[in-house]
Amino acid sequence: RKEVEQDPGPFNVPEGATVAFNCTYSNSASQSFFWYRQDCRKEPKLLMSVYSSGNEDGRFTAQLNRASQYISLLIRDSKLSDSATYLCVVNMRGPNFGNEKLTFGTGTRLTIIP
Amino acid sequence: DTEVTQTPKHLVMGMTNKKSLKCEQHMGHRAMYWYKQKAKKPPELMFVYSYEKLSINESVPSRFSPECPNSSLLNLHLHALQPEDSALYLCASSQAVFAADGGETQYFGPGTRLLVL
């Protein structure tokens, strides 16, 4: 089982629709969770950090379910500018302090269609 | 300001060349990272520096040599690379490797696109 697993897509969604992505992680000791977006040939940019039970930022809502070990991202009223690859990222704690590192999912490609 | 800068933006080098990638941040972050990203793949961690000391080396070949001269700078020295090393090299920084309240959130630089001929 992959450490962080995402549906690679692609998701082709009409403008204005709502789209949701799920991501599962294997390490139950994981402490922090993030969604990054990455545009073609650009660097990943932080979209949202996800702590405790989840959080909302405008049209974006992230949820965390520790019992089932998944996080989700919901995008409402999607815009053309939302077209990007969305990376699910988990901070995995290693066996020794100091071995924590981000583990990336493979990313979900989203295209918003006019 | 969450800016991480990287130079150069693009680099073409031969297999016998020696070159260096540079990364800089002035956010007071004490953790810095090098990642390698191939097309249509997620970033792969290469090295982690915490308080200017190498804390993680993800079994990277010795032709890649990281250096952290001070808390704001991170270099990646390249020597005798192979064509399969062509990729986007991303630098990132965070307040700490692991911290509460978002201190471990990583911010990425724009990357150096490397082509090895």
Side-chain angles (χ1 to χ4, degrees):
Chain A
R1 183 182 174 186
K2 290 182 183 175
E3 291 181 300
V4 179
E5 204 150 1
Q6 292 182 252
D7 182 343
F11 283 55
N12 298 313
V13 174
E15 193 175 5
T18 295
V19 60
F21 307 135
N22 285 330
C23 166
T24 57
Y25 59 95
S26 60
N27 186 340
S28 60
S30 299
Q31 296 295 312
S32 46
F33 310 87
F34 309 89
W35 285 102
Y36 282 76
R37 70 169 279 168
Q38 187 170 23
D39 294 285
C40 188
R41 301 180 69 81
K42 298 283 190 181
E43 75 274 22
K45 287 189 186 295
L46 180 69
L47 180 65
M48 298 181 77
S49 302
V50 188
Y51 296 101
S52 63
S53 61
N55 45 296
E56 185 174 318
D57 182 4
R59 298 182 294 109
F60 299 85
T61 301
Q63 294 284 333
L64 168 64
N65 184 319
R66 286 188 183 273
S68 301
Q69 294 181 210
Y70 79 81
I71 64 175
S72 63
L73 178 68
L74 184 77
I75 306 175
R76 289 181 297 277
D77 187 25
S78 54
K79 313 286 185 194
L80 295 176
S81 57
D82 294 332
S83 297
T85 295
Y86 289 83
L87 296 162
C88 173
V89 185
V90 176
N91 200 346
M92 298 266 183
R93 177 166 278 174
N96 303 305
F97 180 78
N99 286 132
E100 295 83 8
K101 61 179 183 179
L102 292 189
T103 301
F104 288 77
T106 52
T108 299
R109 175 74 195 145
L110 172 67
T111 300
I112 305 299
I113 303 165
Chain B
D1 183 15
T2 54
E3 188 177 15
V4 177
T5 59
Q6 289 186 243
T7 56
K9 288 185 179 178
H10 302 276
L11 179 62
V12 180
M13 60 187 290
M15 289 189 284
T16 58
N17 292 157
K18 284 185 182 181
K19 296 285 185 184
S20 296
L21 310 185
K22 296 185 182 302
C23 174
E24 191 166 2
Q25 56 86 17
H26 294 288
M27 296 178 277
H29 288 177
R30 302 312 298 269
M32 296 185 77
Y33 311 79
W34 279 116
Y35 290 86
K36 172 183 176 180
Q37 187 174 26
K38 302 282 268 184
K40 298 188 188 300
K41 298 287 188 183
E44 296 173 31
L45 182 65
M46 299 174 73
F47 302 103
V48 180
Y49 272 83
S50 179
Y51 289 83
E52 294 122 71
K53 292 194 187 325
L54 184 65
S55 65
I56 294 179
N57 176 339
E58 292 285 283
S59 302
V60 179
S62 60
R63 58 186 184 268
F64 295 91
S65 175
E67 178 198 16
C68 190
N70 60 55
S71 60
S72 300
L73 292 174
L74 187 66
N75 298 323
L76 186 63
H77 303 297
L78 314 173
H79 173 55
L81 294 195
Q82 303 297 310
E84 60 264 28
D85 296 322
S86 299
L88 179 67
Y89 287 84
L90 293 160
C91 174
S93 72
S94 63
Q95 288 179 17
V97 171
F98 194 84
D101 302 324
E104 75 276 27
T105 303
Q106 292 186 25
Y107 297 93
F108 286 83
T112 294
R113 195 160 296 278
L114 174 67
L115 177 63
V116 181
L117 299 175

